[in-house]
Each structure stands twice: as structure tokens, then as C-alpha cells.
């Protein structure tokens, strides 16, 4: 398992973002030079709250209800940016977008950071925007 501490980029005395490598669907982000990033103004974010529904059943001749399952009406969502320190070439952009976007099933996400070392997320990425800096693609906003 990869454990990489988050490098910080400091600009004018302020932390601009912290970033961590990740593995999504068995592919390590470092092979594309990508990291999950949190920008200065996005450090606090709200997530959707999910309330489970408890399914119960009561047999006709019984006085007790039995738990038959728990369902969720919607999955929690998070928004973040996947960013590269170098411009992403068009040929790599196609490969990255086909890796990240358009999945129909949950895939494993592992964030390579000390405080997340034992956590595996099951998720589906949706790329909502491409980030550009000085005319070059440098990352993607995902949900």
C-alpha cells in the first residue's frame, strides 16, 4: 500500500492546496501525475446527509417486528478537484477521462494518506468540469 504525505503549495504565505495520490479502480493516479486536491477556499465543504430506511416485517401470528434490511434513498456526494502539477496533454486527457468518468458501477477509491490508510471508498466519479490554467488543462472537478 502506498502511503504518501500531502505536499503543500504555499503562495504569498497562504496554503493554496494540499494534495494526495490515490488509486481508483485499481489504477494509481501517480502514473498520470494526478492528485486529489483541496483548495484554500474549499477546505470546508458540506456533504449530503443520508438517512437510512429500516425495513421491517411482522408475521401475522407474531407480536414482534423483524428487521429485514436497511436501504438508502441516495448516496452521499463529495466534490473535489483532481489536479496535475504539469499541463495534461490531449492524448493523456482522453485516457484520464475514460478512466475517471462514465462508470456504471461502484469502484474502489483509496486515498494514499496516513489518516486514510485503512479506508477504502466505493464510489463513482462524475467529471463536472475541466480546469484550465493559462490555456492548459491542469485538472478536473469531480463529484
Amino acid at each position: 500500500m502506498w502511503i504518501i504525505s500531502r505536499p503543500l503549495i504555499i503562495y504569498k504565505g497562504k496554503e493554496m492546496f494540499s494534495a494526495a495520490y490515490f488509486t481508483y479502480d485499481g489504477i494509481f493516479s501517480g502514473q498520470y501525475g494526478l492528485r486529489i486536491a483541496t483548495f484554500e477556499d474549499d477546505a470546508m465543504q458540506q456533504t449530503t446527509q443520508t438517512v437510512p430506511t429500516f425495513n421491517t416485517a411482522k408475521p401475522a401470528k407474531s407480536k414482534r417486528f423483524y428487521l429485514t434490511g436497511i436501504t438508502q434513498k441516495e448516496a452521499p456526494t463529495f466534490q473535489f478537484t483532481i489536479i496535475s502539477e504539469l499541463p495534461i496533454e490531449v492524448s493523456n486527457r482522453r485516457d484520464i477521462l475514460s478512466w475517471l468518468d462514465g462508470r456504471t458501477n461502484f469502484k474502489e477509491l483509496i486515498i494514499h494518506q496516513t489518516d486514510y490508510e485503512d479506508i477504502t471508498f466505493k464510489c463513482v466519479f462524475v467529471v463536472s468540469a475541466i480546469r484550465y490554467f493559462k490555456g492548459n488543462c491542469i485538472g478536473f472537478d469531480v463529484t
Side-chain angles (χ1 to χ4, degrees), residues 18-134:
S18 56
Y21 287 113
F22 63 96
T23 298
Y24 179 65
D25 193 19
I27 299 173
F28 178 58
S29 66
Q31 78 183 45
Y32 295 111
L34 299 174
R35 296 173 187 235
I36 289 179
T38 303
F39 286 89
E40 173 186 35
D41 59 348
D42 295 336
M44 283 285 274
Q45 65 174 273
Q46 292 183 347
T47 60
T48 57
Q49 179 178 351
T50 62
V51 179
T53 302
F54 295 96
N55 303 318
T56 59
K58 181 180 169 284
K61 295 184 179 186
S62 175
K63 293 182 181 182
R64 295 183 61 188
F65 282 90
Y66 294 94
L67 181 65
T68 59
I70 299 173
T71 57
Q72 301 279 348
K73 291 196 179 203
E74 63 182 64
T77 59
F78 301 91
Q79 295 180 344
F80 50 88
T81 300
I82 294 174
I83 198 157
S84 173
E85 293 179 22
L86 300 173
I88 301 169
E89 300 296 325
V90 174
S91 59
N92 279 346
R93 191 177 329 149
R94 273 187 251 120
D95 293 341
I96 292 167
L97 287 172
S98 66
W99 164 50
L100 295 176
D101 204 20
R103 301 303 179 122
T104 56
N105 295 318
F106 289 104
K107 303 297 178 189
E108 289 189 353
L109 170 65
I110 301 167
I111 299 173
H112 303 297
Q113 182 176 307
T114 307
D115 49 342
Y116 287 99
E117 63 190 12
D118 297 327
I119 300 172
T120 299
F121 299 93
K122 302 281 187 177
C123 61
V124 175
F125 283 159
V126 176
V127 176
S128 58
I130 298 175
R131 290 245 178 181
Y132 288 92
F133 180 73
K134 295 185 178 179

